[in-house]
Every structure is written in C-alpha cells, then in structure tokens.
Amino acid sequence: MVTARARGSEHKYLAVRAFLADLVATELAVGDAVPSERSLTEKFGVSRMTVRQAVDALVTEGVLERAQGRGTFVAPPRADFEMRLTTFGEEARRRGLVPGAQVLSAGVAPATAPVAEAVDREPGTPMHHVVRLRTADGNPMSVEEAWIPVDLAPDLLAGGVPESLYAALRARGLDPTWGEETITAADATPEELDTLQMRTSRAVMRTSRRTFGGDAPLMFSRASYRGDRYSVFVPLREARPTLVPRSTPPGSPVPGRIPEGSPR
C-alpha cells in the first residue's frame, strides 16, 4: 500500500524536477550551474535525498550533467537523429547542427574474418579502413570505423578521406540503397572516454552496420556514440513481415528497403 507520506515525497520530487527543468528551459544556458542541493532543500522543504533523486533524473535524461568536485550544470542538448540511410553530415545539417570530422587513421588493411564475412570477401582481402571522430557543433559525438573493399573503389582514398564515404561511392556508380544495423549499449573503453571527451558518463551506444547497393555489400562500419549526447528517433509502423533477409539468392529481385540506423 502506498502511504500518504510516500505520495507526498513523490510529489515533492516531481516539484523539484519540474522547477529545475523549467529553469533550464527559460533562464539558464548550456554550462550554467543549477542551484545547489542545499538551496533546493531549503526552498522546497525536502530532504537532500529527494533533491538528489530529482537531479539524478535530469542527469539521466541528458538535461543536466555533474562535474565531480564542481557541481551540476546545464548539459549541451542531445543530437536527435532519425534512423535513415543518410550521411552523418546530412542528418546533422537537417537538425540545424554543424557537422565535423577528424580523421584519426586511414589506409589499406587486410580484412579480418568478421569484416570479410560482412562484405562477402575472403579474409585478408585488401580493405580501405577509415577511422574518424564525428562532431556536431564542435562537440565530439562518435568514433566511427568503416571498411570498404579496395576492389570496389581502388582510388577511394587517393585524394585523402572524402567528406562523405556514401557520396564518394555514389560518384563511382555504387549507390547505397539499403542496409542493416545492430545497436547495443555498453560502457566506453578508456580510449573512447578520452577521444569523446566524456567526463560525466561512461555509457555509449554501439552500432554495427552493413550497407548494400542492390544485393552487393558495399561497406561495413562500426561506431560508438556518446550516450549523453546522442539519441535515436525511430518512426514506428504497424507490424509487417520482415522484408529484407540477411542474404539474397543470386538472380533474385532485391526486396524492399528498410530504414537504417545512426547516420554515416
């Protein structure tokens, strides 16, 4: 049974949470400090545990972020990307953000067994391998790796890493038309924490994608996205039979397309 005291505590928690959310929306800017737990305790006449619960909820939602030893501050807004087959830059600009990329490494490397299987090649097949840090409005968003068979586009990296790998493939008559993606949640590695400048959260969203042109695999890619800066918008429809199997028999018509995951 829920006691009157429990209900009262819940209402006070919601009041504190609503007050802080409204403060962020109407008065504070990104990086501004929110009132201290002590001042909120005095203002609402509640315990520190109740105040902390309200703050924790907003931290989890990405509205606030804690800096150890300094306090709690307004967090930068999350980038809300829709699951579509677009480039990272296209989707960022569509959301009013300025996309950026820093090449961490690029070159040709032999395909490992998992990569080879993903692009329907033999292990050891030469692959273009590109690792990039992707940013939105200057904020680190993700670390991405992409593998493209050299035999598909031998000159792909001749002039440096293209701004858009999809656009570079299209320019060579290799049009990405559909794909499949797996999304999982995980703790960031020490390298990811450093590269993505993560200070208040360890959560990342990992994606693994195969991109196809017709029935031919064009690219295999993996990415790790900051859990505190990134969310995915997924349009939902009524349940239907799966349209795209993992592989298509030779000579069969290409089945219907499916939405893709995080943009490249």
Side-chain angles (χ1 to χ4, degrees), residues 8-23 34-37 39-58 64:
S9 175
E10 178 182 357
H11 292 159
K12 290 177 180 178
Y13 148 73
L14 293 175
V16 177
R17 181 184 177 281
F19 169 77
L20 290 172
D22 183 66
L23 202 62
V34 299
S36 66
E37 289 185 1
S39 66
L40 291 171
T41 296
E42 295 174 353
K43 178 179 179 66
F44 288 91
V46 297
S47 68
R48 284 209 171 189
M49 182 178 296
T50 299
V51 169
R52 195 160 297 156
Q53 183 183 11
V55 173
D56 285 345
L58 293 174
L64 302 177

PDB file of all heavy atoms in Angstrom, residues 8-23 34-37 39-58 64:
ATOM      1  N   GLY A   8       3.445  11.979  -0.710  1.00  0.00           N
ATOM      2  CA  GLY A   8       3.919  13.346  -0.534  1.00  0.00           C
ATOM      3  C   GLY A   8       5.349  13.501  -0.983  1.00  0.00           C
ATOM      4  O   GLY A   8       5.711  14.489  -1.624  1.00  0.00           O
ATOM      5  N   SER A   9       6.198  12.506  -0.666  1.00  0.00           N
ATOM      6  CA  SER A   9       7.598  12.554  -1.086  1.00  0.00           C
ATOM      7  C   SER A   9       7.705  12.531  -2.598  1.00  0.00           C
ATOM      8  O   SER A   9       8.516  13.250  -3.197  1.00  0.00           O
ATOM      9  CB  SER A   9       8.344  11.367  -0.481  1.00  0.00           C
ATOM     10  OG  SER A   9       9.673  11.311  -0.942  1.00  0.00           O
ATOM     11  N   GLU A  10       6.860  11.699  -3.261  1.00  0.00           N
ATOM     12  CA  GLU A  10       6.901  11.617  -4.717  1.00  0.00           C
ATOM     13  C   GLU A  10       6.506  12.948  -5.344  1.00  0.00           C
ATOM     14  O   GLU A  10       7.129  13.403  -6.309  1.00  0.00           O
ATOM     15  CB  GLU A  10       5.950  10.511  -5.192  1.00  0.00           C
ATOM     16  CG  GLU A  10       5.886  10.374  -6.711  1.00  0.00           C
ATOM     17  CD  GLU A  10       4.911   9.311  -7.152  1.00  0.00           C
ATOM     18  OE1 GLU A  10       4.328   8.651  -6.286  1.00  0.00           O
ATOM     19  OE2 GLU A  10       4.734   9.170  -8.379  1.00  0.00           O
ATOM     20  N   HIS A  11       5.483  13.600  -4.778  1.00  0.00           N
ATOM     21  CA  HIS A  11       5.037  14.884  -5.319  1.00  0.00           C
ATOM     22  C   HIS A  11       6.119  15.948  -5.161  1.00  0.00           C
ATOM     23  O   HIS A  11       6.314  16.786  -6.048  1.00  0.00           O
ATOM     24  CB  HIS A  11       3.754  15.329  -4.616  1.00  0.00           C
ATOM     25  CG  HIS A  11       2.569  14.448  -4.938  1.00  0.00           C
ATOM     26  ND1 HIS A  11       1.449  14.379  -4.150  1.00  0.00           N
ATOM     27  CD2 HIS A  11       2.355  13.593  -5.975  1.00  0.00           C
ATOM     28  CE1 HIS A  11       0.589  13.525  -4.677  1.00  0.00           C
ATOM     29  NE2 HIS A  11       1.123  13.032  -5.775  1.00  0.00           N
ATOM     30  N   LYS A  12       6.836  15.916  -4.043  1.00  0.00           N
ATOM     31  CA  LYS A  12       7.907  16.890  -3.823  1.00  0.00           C
ATOM     32  C   LYS A  12       9.058  16.655  -4.807  1.00  0.00           C
ATOM     33  O   LYS A  12       9.646  17.612  -5.319  1.00  0.00           O
ATOM     34  CB  LYS A  12       8.420  16.796  -2.378  1.00  0.00           C
ATOM     35  CG  LYS A  12       7.408  17.316  -1.362  1.00  0.00           C
ATOM     36  CD  LYS A  12       7.920  17.139   0.056  1.00  0.00           C
ATOM     37  CE  LYS A  12       6.895  17.661   1.071  1.00  0.00           C
ATOM     38  NZ  LYS A  12       7.338  17.459   2.474  1.00  0.00           N
ATOM     39  N   TYR A  13       9.372  15.392  -5.065  1.00  0.00           N
ATOM     40  CA  TYR A  13      10.402  15.072  -6.045  1.00  0.00           C
ATOM     41  C   TYR A  13      10.021  15.618  -7.416  1.00  0.00           C
ATOM     42  O   TYR A  13      10.833  16.223  -8.114  1.00  0.00           O
ATOM     43  CB  TYR A  13      10.598  13.554  -6.099  1.00  0.00           C
ATOM     44  CG  TYR A  13      10.981  13.016  -7.452  1.00  0.00           C
ATOM     45  CD1 TYR A  13      12.251  13.206  -7.974  1.00  0.00           C
ATOM     46  CD2 TYR A  13      10.042  12.329  -8.230  1.00  0.00           C
ATOM     47  CE1 TYR A  13      12.597  12.710  -9.226  1.00  0.00           C
ATOM     48  CE2 TYR A  13      10.382  11.824  -9.470  1.00  0.00           C
ATOM     49  CZ  TYR A  13      11.654  12.022  -9.967  1.00  0.00           C
ATOM     50  OH  TYR A  13      11.998  11.547 -11.201  1.00  0.00           O
ATOM     51  N   LEU A  14       8.764  15.440  -7.798  1.00  0.00           N
ATOM     52  CA  LEU A  14       8.305  15.936  -9.095  1.00  0.00           C
ATOM     53  C   LEU A  14       8.330  17.454  -9.147  1.00  0.00           C
ATOM     54  O   LEU A  14       8.628  18.048 -10.188  1.00  0.00           O
ATOM     55  CB  LEU A  14       6.893  15.420  -9.381  1.00  0.00           C
ATOM     56  CG  LEU A  14       6.767  13.909  -9.610  1.00  0.00           C
ATOM     57  CD1 LEU A  14       5.304  13.512  -9.751  1.00  0.00           C
ATOM     58  CD2 LEU A  14       7.552  13.492 -10.849  1.00  0.00           C
ATOM     59  N   ALA A  15       8.029  18.098  -8.009  1.00  0.00           N
ATOM     60  CA  ALA A  15       8.050  19.566  -7.967  1.00  0.00           C
ATOM     61  C   ALA A  15       9.467  20.093  -8.166  1.00  0.00           C
ATOM     62  O   ALA A  15       9.682  21.070  -8.896  1.00  0.00           O
ATOM     63  CB  ALA A  15       7.469  20.054  -6.643  1.00  0.00           C
ATOM     64  N   VAL A  16      10.434  19.461  -7.508  1.00  0.00           N
ATOM     65  CA  VAL A  16      11.830  19.871  -7.665  1.00  0.00           C
ATOM     66  C   VAL A  16      12.292  19.646  -9.098  1.00  0.00           C
ATOM     67  O   VAL A  16      12.936  20.509  -9.708  1.00  0.00           O
ATOM     68  CB  VAL A  16      12.738  19.108  -6.679  1.00  0.00           C
ATOM     69  CG1 VAL A  16      14.202  19.487  -6.905  1.00  0.00           C
ATOM     70  CG2 VAL A  16      12.338  19.396  -5.240  1.00  0.00           C
ATOM     71  N   ARG A  17      11.953  18.504  -9.643  1.00  0.00           N
ATOM     72  CA  ARG A  17      12.339  18.179 -11.016  1.00  0.00           C
ATOM     73  C   ARG A  17      11.732  19.174 -12.003  1.00  0.00           C
ATOM     74  O   ARG A  17      12.416  19.665 -12.904  1.00  0.00           O
ATOM     75  CB  ARG A  17      11.888  16.758 -11.359  1.00  0.00           C
ATOM     76  CG  ARG A  17      12.254  16.301 -12.758  1.00  0.00           C
ATOM     77  CD  ARG A  17      11.678  14.913 -13.021  1.00  0.00           C
ATOM     78  NE  ARG A  17      11.951  14.481 -14.378  1.00  0.00           N
ATOM     79  CZ  ARG A  17      11.258  14.899 -15.432  1.00  0.00           C
ATOM     80  NH1 ARG A  17      10.283  15.765 -15.282  1.00  0.00           N
ATOM     81  NH2 ARG A  17      11.570  14.448 -16.639  1.00  0.00           N
ATOM     82  N   ALA A  18      10.460  19.491 -11.834  1.00  0.00           N
ATOM     83  CA  ALA A  18       9.787  20.435 -12.727  1.00  0.00           C
ATOM     84  C   ALA A  18      10.397  21.831 -12.611  1.00  0.00           C
ATOM     85  O   ALA A  18      10.567  22.533 -13.618  1.00  0.00           O
ATOM     86  CB  ALA A  18       8.298  20.480 -12.409  1.00  0.00           C
ATOM     87  N   PHE A  19      10.753  22.225 -11.392  1.00  0.00           N
ATOM     88  CA  PHE A  19      11.372  23.534 -11.192  1.00  0.00           C
ATOM     89  C   PHE A  19      12.707  23.628 -11.926  1.00  0.00           C
ATOM     90  O   PHE A  19      12.985  24.616 -12.625  1.00  0.00           O
ATOM     91  CB  PHE A  19      11.579  23.782  -9.691  1.00  0.00           C
ATOM     92  CG  PHE A  19      12.436  24.970  -9.381  1.00  0.00           C
ATOM     93  CD1 PHE A  19      11.934  26.259  -9.486  1.00  0.00           C
ATOM     94  CD2 PHE A  19      13.766  24.804  -8.995  1.00  0.00           C
ATOM     95  CE1 PHE A  19      12.739  27.368  -9.214  1.00  0.00           C
ATOM     96  CE2 PHE A  19      14.567  25.888  -8.720  1.00  0.00           C
ATOM     97  CZ  PHE A  19      14.054  27.181  -8.824  1.00  0.00           C
ATOM     98  N   LEU A  20      13.534  22.595 -11.793  1.00  0.00           N
ATOM     99  CA  LEU A  20      14.841  22.610 -12.444  1.00  0.00           C
ATOM    100  C   LEU A  20      14.699  22.564 -13.972  1.00  0.00           C
ATOM    101  O   LEU A  20      15.414  23.267 -14.688  1.00  0.00           O
ATOM    102  CB  LEU A  20      15.677  21.430 -11.958  1.00  0.00           C
ATOM    103  CG  LEU A  20      16.164  21.507 -10.513  1.00  0.00           C
ATOM    104  CD1 LEU A  20      16.821  20.190 -10.099  1.00  0.00           C
ATOM    105  CD2 LEU A  20      17.133  22.657 -10.330  1.00  0.00           C
ATOM    106  N   ALA A  21      13.773  21.734 -14.469  1.00  0.00           N
ATOM    107  CA  ALA A  21      13.568  21.646 -15.917  1.00  0.00           C
ATOM    108  C   ALA A  21      13.116  22.978 -16.481  1.00  0.00           C
ATOM    109  O   ALA A  21      13.556  23.407 -17.555  1.00  0.00           O
ATOM    110  CB  ALA A  21      12.546  20.555 -16.230  1.00  0.00           C
ATOM    111  N   ASP A  22      12.224  23.670 -15.770  1.00  0.00           N
ATOM    112  CA  ASP A  22      11.746  24.977 -16.227  1.00  0.00           C
ATOM    113  C   ASP A  22      12.874  26.006 -16.175  1.00  0.00           C
ATOM    114  O   ASP A  22      12.988  26.873 -17.061  1.00  0.00           O
ATOM    115  CB  ASP A  22      10.576  25.435 -15.352  1.00  0.00           C
ATOM    116  CG  ASP A  22       9.982  26.756 -15.831  1.00  0.00           C
ATOM    117  OD1 ASP A  22       9.415  26.768 -16.947  1.00  0.00           O
ATOM    118  OD2 ASP A  22      10.098  27.752 -15.111  1.00  0.00           O
ATOM    119  N   LEU A  23      13.714  25.910 -15.160  1.00  0.00           N
ATOM    120  CA  LEU A  23      14.852  26.832 -15.030  1.00  0.00           C
ATOM    121  C   LEU A  23      15.795  26.676 -16.219  1.00  0.00           C
ATOM    122  O   LEU A  23      16.270  27.665 -16.794  1.00  0.00           O
ATOM    123  CB  LEU A  23      15.586  26.528 -13.720  1.00  0.00           C
ATOM    124  CG  LEU A  23      16.454  27.638 -13.110  1.00  0.00           C
ATOM    125  CD1 LEU A  23      15.591  28.846 -12.748  1.00  0.00           C
ATOM    126  CD2 LEU A  23      17.159  27.115 -11.866  1.00  0.00           C
ATOM    127  N   VAL A  34      23.302  24.916 -11.816  1.00  0.00           N
ATOM    128  CA  VAL A  34      21.955  24.929 -11.246  1.00  0.00           C
ATOM    129  C   VAL A  34      22.082  25.167  -9.745  1.00  0.00           C
ATOM    130  O   VAL A  34      23.169  25.031  -9.174  1.00  0.00           O
ATOM    131  CB  VAL A  34      21.218  23.601 -11.531  1.00  0.00           C
ATOM    132  CG1 VAL A  34      21.085  23.378 -13.030  1.00  0.00           C
ATOM    133  CG2 VAL A  34      21.927  22.425 -10.877  1.00  0.00           C
ATOM    134  N   PRO A  35      20.995  25.543  -9.090  1.00  0.00           N
ATOM    135  CA  PRO A  35      21.066  25.762  -7.640  1.00  0.00           C
ATOM    136  C   PRO A  35      21.608  24.547  -6.903  1.00  0.00           C
ATOM    137  O   PRO A  35      21.401  23.404  -7.324  1.00  0.00           O
ATOM    138  CB  PRO A  35      19.603  26.045  -7.266  1.00  0.00           C
ATOM    139  CG  PRO A  35      18.995  26.603  -8.515  1.00  0.00           C
ATOM    140  CD  PRO A  35      19.671  25.864  -9.638  1.00  0.00           C
ATOM    141  N   SER A  36      22.283  24.793  -5.804  1.00  0.00           N
ATOM    142  CA  SER A  36      22.887  23.708  -5.036  1.00  0.00           C
ATOM    143  C   SER A  36      21.817  22.856  -4.357  1.00  0.00           C
ATOM    144  O   SER A  36      20.666  23.279  -4.196  1.00  0.00           O
ATOM    145  CB  SER A  36      23.821  24.276  -3.970  1.00  0.00           C
ATOM    146  OG  SER A  36      23.068  24.999  -2.999  1.00  0.00           O
ATOM    147  N   GLU A  37      22.209  21.651  -3.982  1.00  0.00           N
ATOM    148  CA  GLU A  37      21.280  20.762  -3.282  1.00  0.00           C
ATOM    149  C   GLU A  37      20.797  21.405  -1.986  1.00  0.00           C
ATOM    150  O   GLU A  37      19.621  21.291  -1.625  1.00  0.00           O
ATOM    151  CB  GLU A  37      21.965  19.426  -2.988  1.00  0.00           C
ATOM    152  CG  GLU A  37      22.193  18.557  -4.211  1.00  0.00           C
ATOM    153  CD  GLU A  37      22.767  17.199  -3.844  1.00  0.00           C
ATOM    154  OE1 GLU A  37      22.952  16.947  -2.630  1.00  0.00           O
ATOM    155  OE2 GLU A  37      23.016  16.392  -4.757  1.00  0.00           O
ATOM    156  N   SER A  39      20.417  24.647  -1.289  1.00  0.00           N
ATOM    157  CA  SER A  39      19.438  25.698  -1.523  1.00  0.00           C
ATOM    158  C   SER A  39      18.091  25.121  -1.957  1.00  0.00           C
ATOM    159  O   SER A  39      17.031  25.632  -1.586  1.00  0.00           O
ATOM    160  CB  SER A  39      19.953  26.686  -2.586  1.00  0.00           C
ATOM    161  OG  SER A  39      20.072  26.055  -3.853  1.00  0.00           O
ATOM    162  N   LEU A  40      18.124  24.042  -2.731  1.00  0.00           N
ATOM    163  CA  LEU A  40      16.878  23.409  -3.155  1.00  0.00           C
ATOM    164  C   LEU A  40      16.180  22.734  -1.973  1.00  0.00           C
ATOM    165  O   LEU A  40      14.945  22.736  -1.877  1.00  0.00           O
ATOM    166  CB  LEU A  40      17.154  22.386  -4.259  1.00  0.00           C
ATOM    167  CG  LEU A  40      17.587  22.964  -5.609  1.00  0.00           C
ATOM    168  CD1 LEU A  40      18.051  21.846  -6.544  1.00  0.00           C
ATOM    169  CD2 LEU A  40      16.445  23.742  -6.252  1.00  0.00           C
ATOM    170  N   THR A  41      16.977  22.159  -1.074  1.00  0.00           N
ATOM    171  CA  THR A  41      16.417  21.548   0.138  1.00  0.00           C
ATOM    172  C   THR A  41      15.668  22.581   0.959  1.00  0.00           C
ATOM    173  O   THR A  41      14.554  22.352   1.442  1.00  0.00           O
ATOM    174  CB  THR A  41      17.541  20.913   0.975  1.00  0.00           C
ATOM    175  OG1 THR A  41      18.142  19.856   0.236  1.00  0.00           O
ATOM    176  CG2 THR A  41      16.992  20.360   2.285  1.00  0.00           C
ATOM    177  N   GLU A  42      16.273  23.758   1.107  1.00  0.00           N
ATOM    178  CA  GLU A  42      15.648  24.836   1.883  1.00  0.00           C
ATOM    179  C   GLU A  42      14.433  25.412   1.163  1.00  0.00           C
ATOM    180  O   GLU A  42      13.406  25.709   1.779  1.00  0.00           O
ATOM    181  CB  GLU A  42      16.675  25.931   2.155  1.00  0.00           C
ATOM    182  CG  GLU A  42      17.826  25.473   3.053  1.00  0.00           C
ATOM    183  CD  GLU A  42      18.913  26.529   3.182  1.00  0.00           C
ATOM    184  OE1 GLU A  42      18.831  27.553   2.458  1.00  0.00           O
ATOM    185  OE2 GLU A  42      19.829  26.328   4.004  1.00  0.00           O
ATOM    186  N   LYS A  43      14.527  25.559  -0.153  1.00  0.00           N
ATOM    187  CA  LYS A  43      13.441  26.165  -0.931  1.00  0.00           C
ATOM    188  C   LYS A  43      12.179  25.309  -0.897  1.00  0.00           C
ATOM    189  O   LYS A  43      11.057  25.825  -0.754  1.00  0.00           O
ATOM    190  CB  LYS A  43      13.889  26.366  -2.382  1.00  0.00           C
ATOM    191  CG  LYS A  43      12.815  26.955  -3.308  1.00  0.00           C
ATOM    192  CD  LYS A  43      13.351  27.140  -4.718  1.00  0.00           C
ATOM    193  CE  LYS A  43      12.280  27.709  -5.633  1.00  0.00           C
ATOM    194  NZ  LYS A  43      11.903  29.091  -5.251  1.00  0.00           N
ATOM    195  N   PHE A  44      12.333  23.991  -1.007  1.00  0.00           N
ATOM    196  CA  PHE A  44      11.177  23.107  -1.102  1.00  0.00           C
ATOM    197  C   PHE A  44      10.850  22.382   0.208  1.00  0.00           C
ATOM    198  O   PHE A  44       9.847  21.682   0.290  1.00  0.00           O
ATOM    199  CB  PHE A  44      11.397  22.076  -2.217  1.00  0.00           C
ATOM    200  CG  PHE A  44      11.315  22.660  -3.594  1.00  0.00           C
ATOM    201  CD1 PHE A  44      12.456  23.142  -4.231  1.00  0.00           C
ATOM    202  CD2 PHE A  44      10.098  22.755  -4.263  1.00  0.00           C
ATOM    203  CE1 PHE A  44      12.382  23.679  -5.501  1.00  0.00           C
ATOM    204  CE2 PHE A  44      10.016  23.298  -5.535  1.00  0.00           C
ATOM    205  CZ  PHE A  44      11.159  23.771  -6.159  1.00  0.00           C
ATOM    206  N   GLY A  45      11.719  22.533   1.197  1.00  0.00           N
ATOM    207  CA  GLY A  45      11.461  21.883   2.474  1.00  0.00           C
ATOM    208  C   GLY A  45      11.490  20.373   2.380  1.00  0.00           C
ATOM    209  O   GLY A  45      10.651  19.677   2.970  1.00  0.00           O
ATOM    210  N   VAL A  46      12.439  19.860   1.609  1.00  0.00           N
ATOM    211  CA  VAL A  46      12.545  18.415   1.417  1.00  0.00           C
ATOM    212  C   VAL A  46      13.936  17.945   1.820  1.00  0.00           C
ATOM    213  O   VAL A  46      14.830  18.754   2.090  1.00  0.00           O
ATOM    214  CB  VAL A  46      12.289  18.033  -0.063  1.00  0.00           C
ATOM    215  CG1 VAL A  46      10.861  18.393  -0.467  1.00  0.00           C
ATOM    216  CG2 VAL A  46      13.297  18.718  -0.989  1.00  0.00           C
ATOM    217  N   SER A  47      14.116  16.639   1.845  1.00  0.00           N
ATOM    218  CA  SER A  47      15.414  16.079   2.200  1.00  0.00           C
ATOM    219  C   SER A  47      16.373  16.174   1.017  1.00  0.00           C
ATOM    220  O   SER A  47      15.953  16.324  -0.139  1.00  0.00           O
ATOM    221  CB  SER A  47      15.266  14.611   2.608  1.00  0.00           C
ATOM    222  OG  SER A  47      14.893  13.827   1.484  1.00  0.00           O
ATOM    223  N   ARG A  48      17.653  16.047   1.309  1.00  0.00           N
ATOM    224  CA  ARG A  48      18.656  16.039   0.230  1.00  0.00           C
ATOM    225  C   ARG A  48      18.467  14.836  -0.684  1.00  0.00           C
ATOM    226  O   ARG A  48      18.765  14.907  -1.869  1.00  0.00           O
ATOM    227  CB  ARG A  48      20.070  16.040   0.817  1.00  0.00           C
ATOM    228  CG  ARG A  48      20.510  17.384   1.340  1.00  0.00           C
ATOM    229  CD  ARG A  48      22.009  17.537   1.250  1.00  0.00           C
ATOM    230  NE  ARG A  48      22.430  18.886   1.543  1.00  0.00           N
ATOM    231  CZ  ARG A  48      23.664  19.343   1.377  1.00  0.00           C
ATOM    232  NH1 ARG A  48      24.592  18.521   0.915  1.00  0.00           N
ATOM    233  NH2 ARG A  48      23.986  20.584   1.664  1.00  0.00           N
ATOM    234  N   MET A  49      17.986  13.718  -0.110  1.00  0.00           N
ATOM    235  CA  MET A  49      17.754  12.535  -0.923  1.00  0.00           C
ATOM    236  C   MET A  49      16.694  12.813  -1.990  1.00  0.00           C
ATOM    237  O   MET A  49      16.823  12.384  -3.143  1.00  0.00           O
ATOM    238  CB  MET A  49      17.320  11.356  -0.039  1.00  0.00           C
ATOM    239  CG  MET A  49      17.108  10.057  -0.806  1.00  0.00           C
ATOM    240  SD  MET A  49      16.657   8.688   0.286  1.00  0.00           S
ATOM    241  CE  MET A  49      18.161   8.577   1.280  1.00  0.00           C
ATOM    242  N   THR A  50      15.647  13.552  -1.628  1.00  0.00           N
ATOM    243  CA  THR A  50      14.602  13.900  -2.590  1.00  0.00           C
ATOM    244  C   THR A  50      15.152  14.806  -3.679  1.00  0.00           C
ATOM    245  O   THR A  50      14.866  14.620  -4.873  1.00  0.00           O
ATOM    246  CB  THR A  50      13.422  14.579  -1.876  1.00  0.00           C
ATOM    247  OG1 THR A  50      12.859  13.682  -0.923  1.00  0.00           O
ATOM    248  CG2 THR A  50      12.340  14.991  -2.874  1.00  0.00           C
ATOM    249  N   VAL A  51      15.952  15.791  -3.292  1.00  0.00           N
ATOM    250  CA  VAL A  51      16.561  16.693  -4.269  1.00  0.00           C
ATOM    251  C   VAL A  51      17.485  15.918  -5.195  1.00  0.00           C
ATOM    252  O   VAL A  51      17.465  16.095  -6.424  1.00  0.00           O
ATOM    253  CB  VAL A  51      17.345  17.817  -3.551  1.00  0.00           C
ATOM    254  CG1 VAL A  51      18.200  18.594  -4.553  1.00  0.00           C
ATOM    255  CG2 VAL A  51      16.389  18.745  -2.829  1.00  0.00           C
ATOM    256  N   ARG A  52      18.279  15.027  -4.618  1.00  0.00           N
ATOM    257  CA  ARG A  52      19.220  14.249  -5.424  1.00  0.00           C
ATOM    258  C   ARG A  52      18.484  13.357  -6.421  1.00  0.00           C
ATOM    259  O   ARG A  52      18.934  13.164  -7.553  1.00  0.00           O
ATOM    260  CB  ARG A  52      20.102  13.410  -4.503  1.00  0.00           C
ATOM    261  CG  ARG A  52      21.337  12.837  -5.172  1.00  0.00           C
ATOM    262  CD  ARG A  52      22.360  12.456  -4.135  1.00  0.00           C
ATOM    263  NE  ARG A  52      22.833  13.605  -3.391  1.00  0.00           N
ATOM    264  CZ  ARG A  52      23.354  13.542  -2.158  1.00  0.00           C
ATOM    265  NH1 ARG A  52      23.449  12.380  -1.544  1.00  0.00           N
ATOM    266  NH2 ARG A  52      23.763  14.643  -1.558  1.00  0.00           N
ATOM    267  N   GLN A  53      17.352  12.826  -6.014  1.00  0.00           N
ATOM    268  CA  GLN A  53      16.548  11.999  -6.912  1.00  0.00           C
ATOM    269  C   GLN A  53      16.081  12.812  -8.123  1.00  0.00           C
ATOM    270  O   GLN A  53      16.121  12.332  -9.253  1.00  0.00           O
ATOM    271  CB  GLN A  53      15.339  11.434  -6.163  1.00  0.00           C
ATOM    272  CG  GLN A  53      14.470  10.499  -7.008  1.00  0.00           C
ATOM    273  CD  GLN A  53      13.246  10.018  -6.251  1.00  0.00           C
ATOM    274  OE1 GLN A  53      12.928  10.523  -5.172  1.00  0.00           O
ATOM    275  NE2 GLN A  53      12.547   9.054  -6.822  1.00  0.00           N
ATOM    276  N   ALA A  54      15.655  14.047  -7.868  1.00  0.00           N
ATOM    277  CA  ALA A  54      15.192  14.904  -8.967  1.00  0.00           C
ATOM    278  C   ALA A  54      16.345  15.255  -9.902  1.00  0.00           C
ATOM    279  O   ALA A  54      16.191  15.237 -11.130  1.00  0.00           O
ATOM    280  CB  ALA A  54      14.563  16.173  -8.395  1.00  0.00           C
ATOM    281  N   VAL A  55      17.495  15.572  -9.330  1.00  0.00           N
ATOM    282  CA  VAL A  55      18.666  15.904 -10.143  1.00  0.00           C
ATOM    283  C   VAL A  55      19.134  14.692 -10.939  1.00  0.00           C
ATOM    284  O   VAL A  55      19.463  14.795 -12.130  1.00  0.00           O
ATOM    285  CB  VAL A  55      19.802  16.457  -9.255  1.00  0.00           C
ATOM    286  CG1 VAL A  55      21.073  16.645 -10.079  1.00  0.00           C
ATOM    287  CG2 VAL A  55      19.389  17.779  -8.620  1.00  0.00           C
ATOM    288  N   ASP A  56      19.144  13.523 -10.279  1.00  0.00           N
ATOM    289  CA  ASP A  56      19.566  12.296 -10.969  1.00  0.00           C
ATOM    290  C   ASP A  56      18.701  12.018 -12.190  1.00  0.00           C
ATOM    291  O   ASP A  56      19.202  11.585 -13.238  1.00  0.00           O
ATOM    292  CB  ASP A  56      19.488  11.093 -10.016  1.00  0.00           C
ATOM    293  CG  ASP A  56      20.617  11.083  -8.991  1.00  0.00           C
ATOM    294  OD1 ASP A  56      21.594  11.822  -9.197  1.00  0.00           O
ATOM    295  OD2 ASP A  56      20.501  10.332  -8.001  1.00  0.00           O
ATOM    296  N   ALA A  57      17.411  12.260 -12.070  1.00  0.00           N
ATOM    297  CA  ALA A  57      16.505  12.017 -13.189  1.00  0.00           C
ATOM    298  C   ALA A  57      16.857  12.907 -14.372  1.00  0.00           C
ATOM    299  O   ALA A  57      16.867  12.454 -15.525  1.00  0.00           O
ATOM    300  CB  ALA A  57      15.057  12.255 -12.758  1.00  0.00           C
ATOM    301  N   LEU A  58      17.183  14.166 -14.113  1.00  0.00           N
ATOM    302  CA  LEU A  58      17.523  15.095 -15.196  1.00  0.00           C
ATOM    303  C   LEU A  58      18.910  14.811 -15.767  1.00  0.00           C
ATOM    304  O   LEU A  58      19.161  15.063 -16.948  1.00  0.00           O
ATOM    305  CB  LEU A  58      17.428  16.537 -14.693  1.00  0.00           C
ATOM    306  CG  LEU A  58      16.014  17.005 -14.345  1.00  0.00           C
ATOM    307  CD1 LEU A  58      16.032  18.394 -13.713  1.00  0.00           C
ATOM    308  CD2 LEU A  58      15.124  17.002 -15.586  1.00  0.00           C
ATOM    309  N   LEU A  64      20.900  17.706 -17.454  1.00  0.00           N
ATOM    310  CA  LEU A  64      21.966  18.204 -16.586  1.00  0.00           C
ATOM    311  C   LEU A  64      23.150  17.255 -16.639  1.00  0.00           C
ATOM    312  O   LEU A  64      23.027  16.101 -17.029  1.00  0.00           O
ATOM    313  CB  LEU A  64      21.469  18.311 -15.132  1.00  0.00           C
ATOM    314  CG  LEU A  64      20.251  19.188 -14.857  1.00  0.00           C
ATOM    315  CD1 LEU A  64      19.866  19.109 -13.391  1.00  0.00           C
ATOM    316  CD2 LEU A  64      20.510  20.634 -15.268  1.00  0.00           C
TER     317      LEU A  64
END
